[in-house]
Amino acid sequence: MTTEPLLRVENLKKHFPLRGGVLGKEIGQVKAVEGVSFTVQKGETLGIVGESGCGKSTTGRMLLRLIEPTEGDVYFEGKNVTDLSKTDLRKMRRDMQMVFQDPFASLNPRHTVEKILEEPLKVHGIGSPAERKKRVRELLEIVGLSSYHAKRYPHQFSGGQRQRIGIARALMTRPKLIIADEPVSALDVSIQSQVLNLMQDLQNEFGLTYIVIAHDLGVVRHISDRVGVMYLGKMVELTTSERLYDMPLHPYTQALLSAVPIPDPTFEKDSIVLQGDIPSPSNPPSGCTFHTRCPFKMDVCEQKVPLLQEQEEGHYVACHLYSKDGQAASQNIDKPEEVKI
Amino acid sequence: MAEPAKQLEPVQHQDETLPPWKEAWRNFKKNKIAIVGLSIVTFFIIVAIFAPWIAPEGINDQKLSERLQAPSSEYWFGTDDFGRDIFSRVVHGARISLWVGFLAVVGSAVVGSTLGIIAGYYGRWVDTIISRLFDIMLAFPSILLAIAVVSILGPSLRNALIAIAIINVPNFGRLIRSKVLSVKEEEYIMAARAIGMSDFRILFSHVLPNSMTPIIVQGSLAIATAIIEAAALGFLGLGAQAPQPEWGAMLSASRSFLIQAPWTMFFPGLAIMLVVLGFNLMGDGLRDALDPKMKT
């Protein structure tokens, strides 16, 4: 693709300081996100999956600078978001919006739906009061609610309806990119597909670009064009949705996919069960962070950090099974005599 | 799949469409004890407003021939050692006490909340400095601190008011700081930042309204304590000065003839007790009404 992507993320890092002792001295760091890079093309949906604590939500929040990145750059339409002043950043947020995980917590309980939806327009000084009210009603209809819902309070809605309000709020300023952080994980399964379909309809209608963060592989598959898999603050595999589900390369992705339940009682699957727990991000393992749980571990995995490399066209993977180092190492195992000093 | 969503019915009934404060009032009305408290408070407020019309005599009208008269149809609460009508003085005293209580609490609530919000929202060293300041103030018994403040400023009703306001600042400050600490982590605050709101606007439109409930409750309870503290300072001669009909000062003046004329002590004391009781009952009711989660 030759055109400039809508969003380009380069080597994004977030280290949270660990404080302790009487004076609150820094005694360590939690490496929540450790060098994540990816691009998002206009109009596509990028899914980011990973188990809890892998840094996917932190990544999403850093894109909007709701959490300040420790290192790395985020380019939105060619402009570096990490360099923007506070004022410019606020203006930029008109084009990048966020849908939150918990529809019960992300709406101010003291404001009516109308006030909640109107707020983004007020903040950015868009439209007259009458125009704003009109747009609130319009958007309520678009997300499948009714305009008479505007006078109500969030607690009077169900979870699915609240998430629709959250989506409507994100759409108010006609943004180009929407980051959805676990948009359906707090909802009942029966409501999940409704909300996901709504998101897809809106994407077609308004030409939106999505980054969908989720831990549910089914949700991500349903909605994403491309999927990135994260493990312990790093992107380990990134490819198109079909290819990831048909032919996962990274052992972690393979294990994740084999854990997806299949609705067929006669199907006998041999799922890969990972041993041990996810290591602590304050003290990540050396080399490949997955080596402590990987069924295909080699010696090189403990020493060298695998880079995210293009294995096939558009299919990136960070694993020594496919890297030059790894292949050299596996040959060395066969012929250890040939190693010279 | 998207179509059936359009027929989604509202989950609750129409009559539930109440703004939060109306819902709170509905809860409050159900609580009989709270209504008793509110009635007492309202009664005293009315007495205070219409004091000059209610009181049969002026506060400083002395009739030396009628000194220390027992309560009668002419002098409902009796007379004091200068022959002044105690009923008139107690009625006028309501003005002073309510006014002092109210002003002191508003002052400490405004200062305390501002400091508390700043400490809670910005955190770090700002929080450390403000919180330690509160700790230092709370380390002293409050009435002792008030006495210290008044002795620096000089004894008068105005200075007593200032002293009471100062000693109540840390109570409000700590209360709202802890509330802000929890409110600022709410996802709707993050959402407000995500839509591009400035910190200042978030503070006033999201953090403050959601942190107000404990302030209202604490405020109504603090008026009661402030009235007692004002009376205590008046009793010690550090608050209201001699001819002013402040309840605490009247109690103090009645000490010398407690045995011969107990009514000189009884009625101002009763007034203090009633008004404090009223504010306490009302405050408890407010707390239950504004935070229904705490009850069950």
Side-chain angles (χ1 to χ4, degrees):
Chain A
M1 304 208 182
T2 45
T3 49
E4 170 75 20
L6 184 70
L7 187 81
R8 186 154 53 91
V9 179
E10 282 179 4
N11 198 27
L12 203 59
K13 286 185 185 177
K14 180 69 198 182
H15 297 171
F16 291 106
L18 263 180
R19 294 184 191 281
V22 187
L23 299 169
K25 218 169 53 177
E26 194 173 317
I27 53 168
Q29 283 181 330
V30 176
K31 292 172 179 163
V33 179
E34 185 63 5
V36 166
S37 307
F38 57 87
T39 58
V40 185
Q41 300 296 334
K42 197 171 176 350
E44 79 166 341
T45 302
L46 174 73
I48 298 179
V49 287
E51 55 196 301
S52 47
C54 73
K56 52 192 195 302
S57 289
T58 309
T59 306
R61 286 172 185 193
M62 275 196 290
L63 300 181
L64 273 171
R65 267 178 72 190
L66 290 172
I67 296 176
E68 289 292 332
T70 309
E71 226 183 285
D73 298 303
V74 178
Y75 295 93
F76 180 71
E77 293 185 308
K79 253 190 280 177
N80 192 342
V81 178
T82 48
D83 287 346
L84 291 178
S85 69
K86 266 195 163 180
T87 331
D88 290 337
L89 179 68
R90 281 210 297 274
K91 281 182 198 148
M92 157 85 62
R93 284 179 178 161
R94 195 175 154 168
D95 292 329
M96 291 166 93
Q97 283 290 322
M98 190 146 185
V99 174
F100 290 88
Q101 172 176 10
D102 186 350
F104 290 87
S106 62
L107 306 173
N108 188 336
R110 286 179 186 272
H111 289 178
T112 58
V113 169
E114 183 166 54
K115 197 165 175 195
I116 290 168
L117 293 183
E118 217 185 350
E119 207 157 44
L121 298 181
K122 270 191 187 159
V123 166
H124 294 288
I126 303 169
S128 67
E131 281 165 7
R132 290 202 289 257
K133 294 233 168 9
K134 197 175 150 242
R135 176 137 177 87
V136 167
R137 286 180 166 59
E138 220 175 84
L139 261 169
L140 278 174
E141 304 273 351
I142 288 174
V143 299
L145 296 169
S146 304
S147 52
Y148 67 84
H149 285 133
K151 293 286 176 214
R152 300 197 172 183
Y153 287 86
H155 70 262
Q156 296 169 304
F157 294 92
S158 67
Q161 288 174 316
R162 283 168 179 232
Q163 199 55 300
R164 286 166 193 270
I165 297 167
I167 292 170
R169 171 171 62 188
L171 285 174
M172 286 307 287
T173 55
R174 301 176 205 273
K176 291 168 185 149
L177 174 69
I178 290 187
I179 297 162
D181 186 0
E182 302 267 14
V184 295
S185 65
L187 306 177
D188 289 345
V189 181
S190 54
I191 310 293
Q192 287 190 351
S193 59
Q194 282 184 12
V195 171
L196 289 176
N197 288 337
L198 169 70
M199 285 177 70
Q200 281 185 322
D201 292 346
L202 295 171
Q203 183 168 37
N204 297 335
E205 206 171 327
F206 300 109
L208 295 168
T209 307
Y210 285 136
I211 294 178
V212 177
I213 297 161
H215 64 268
D216 184 333
L217 288 153
V219 165
V220 168
R221 178 179 206 168
H222 182 78
I223 200 167
S224 311
D225 300 313
R226 286 193 306 141
V227 179
V229 180
M230 281 184 76
Y231 182 77
L232 220 64
K234 284 183 180 150
M235 189 82 76
V236 294
E237 190 163 1
L238 175 67
T239 184
T240 61
S241 187
E242 299 97 58
R243 198 174 296 179
L244 186 88
Y245 286 87
D246 293 344
M247 207 182 62
L249 290 180
H250 198 282
Y252 178 62
T253 319
Q254 289 167 0
L256 270 188
L257 287 174
S258 78
V260 174
I262 291 156
D264 177 3
T266 60
F267 182 84
E268 296 228 350
K269 63 172 182 179
D270 44 337
S271 58
I272 309 164
V273 180
L274 290 177
Q275 297 301 311
D277 284 327
I278 186 164
S280 161
S282 61
N283 185 20
S286 62
C288 173
T289 47
F290 188 58
H291 84 247
T292 52
R293 303 168 79 190
C294 183
F296 307 110
K297 194 195 108 182
M298 298 179 288
D299 288 342
V300 66
C301 302
E302 284 182 36
Q303 290 138 21
K304 279 200 165 176
V305 179
L307 301 170
L308 190 67
Q309 285 170 330
E310 194 161 17
Q311 181 62 24
E312 295 158 41
E313 202 206 325
H315 194 154
Y316 298 84
V317 63
C319 178
H320 282 312
L321 286 174
Y322 311 98
S323 75
K324 275 185 192 148
D325 285 330
Q327 266 145 20
S330 62
Q331 279 162 9
N332 287 349
I333 294 168
D334 294 335
K335 303 166 193 168
E337 310 87 63
E338 279 181 24
V339 179
K340 294 203 173 129
I341 302 162
Chain B
M1 276 303 272
E3 279 79 35
K6 290 193 173 138
Q7 285 122 43
L8 280 181
E9 275 305 303
V11 192
Q12 266 116 356
H13 301 294
Q14 202 67 36
D15 62 339
E16 295 262 336
T17 319
L18 287 173
W21 65 269
K22 270 195 184 161
E23 214 171 304
W25 172 238
R26 211 175 47 176
N27 290 337
F28 189 84
K29 272 194 300 190
K30 283 186 214 152
N31 187 344
K32 287 202 180 65
I33 294 175
I35 291 294
V36 170
L38 180 69
S39 316
I40 296 174
V41 169
T42 317
F43 170 76
F44 274 97
I45 290 173
I46 291 171
V47 166
I49 292 172
F50 297 103
W53 293 276
I54 295 171
E57 293 185 35
I59 46 171
N60 289 322
D61 293 353
Q62 301 182 8
K63 287 184 195 153
L64 292 177
S65 56
E66 316 247 344
R67 293 172 59 197
L68 295 175
Q69 294 288 311
S72 62
S73 57
E74 192 181 351
Y75 305 110
W76 292 358
F77 291 178
T79 60
D80 66 5
D81 55 329
F82 289 105
R84 294 176 296 194
D85 180 31
I86 291 178
F87 175 68
S88 305
R89 288 177 65 78
V90 168
V91 164
H92 277 278
R95 279 194 157 182
I96 297 177
S97 285
L98 288 182
W99 190 238
V100 167
F102 183 74
L103 268 192
V105 166
V106 167
S108 51
V110 169
V111 176
S113 308
T114 313
L115 288 174
I117 285 177
I118 292 170
Y121 193 75
Y122 291 100
R124 294 163 180 269
W125 60 270
V126 184
D127 182 26
T128 311
I129 291 175
I130 294 176
S131 295
R132 289 302 86 76
L133 192 77
F134 289 164
D135 287 346
I136 291 169
M137 290 175 73
L138 287 169
F140 297 99
S142 58
I143 196 72
L144 203 66
L145 192 65
I147 290 169
V149 173
V150 173
S151 36
I152 293 167
L153 298 174
S156 78
L157 188 62
R158 187 182 60 110
N159 292 344
L161 192 154
I162 293 171
I164 293 163
I166 291 174
I167 61 171
N168 278 307
V169 162
N171 295 332
F172 283 99
R174 297 231 305 194
L175 193 69
I176 201 153
R177 172 182 168 272
S178 65
K179 185 74 186 167
V180 168
L181 280 182
S182 71
V183 168
K184 79 167 178 179
E185 298 301 329
E186 295 277 354
E187 224 168 38
Y188 56 80
I189 302 295
M190 174 87 74
R193 284 172 59 206
I195 62 170
M197 253 190 172
S198 62
D199 272 357
F200 192 73
R201 205 157 163 177
I202 291 174
L203 268 183
F204 281 91
S205 133
H206 290 282
V207 178
L208 190 60
N210 281 293
S211 314
M212 274 316 278
T213 1
I215 289 302
I216 294 168
V217 174
Q218 171 72 15
S220 63
L221 295 171
I223 289 183
T225 6
I227 288 172
I228 293 186
E229 280 156 355
L233 288 176
F235 185 84
L236 295 172
L238 295 167
Q241 295 302 304
Q244 279 179 309
E246 203 271 332
W247 295 337
M250 288 165 74
L251 279 183
S252 172
S254 71
R255 268 176 314 172
S256 347
F257 21 87
L258 207 61
I259 308 296
Q260 308 96 294
W263 54 89
T264 53
M265 175 237 24
F266 181 75
F267 291 104
L270 185 72
I272 294 173
M273 196 210 83
L274 270 181
V275 81
V276 168
L277 181 73
F279 275 108
N280 275 331
L281 295 180
M282 189 179 83
D284 284 345
L286 273 178
R287 187 189 54 216
D288 293 344
L290 291 169
D291 198 354
K293 274 172 245 158
M294 272 178 59
K295 256 193 302 191
T296 41

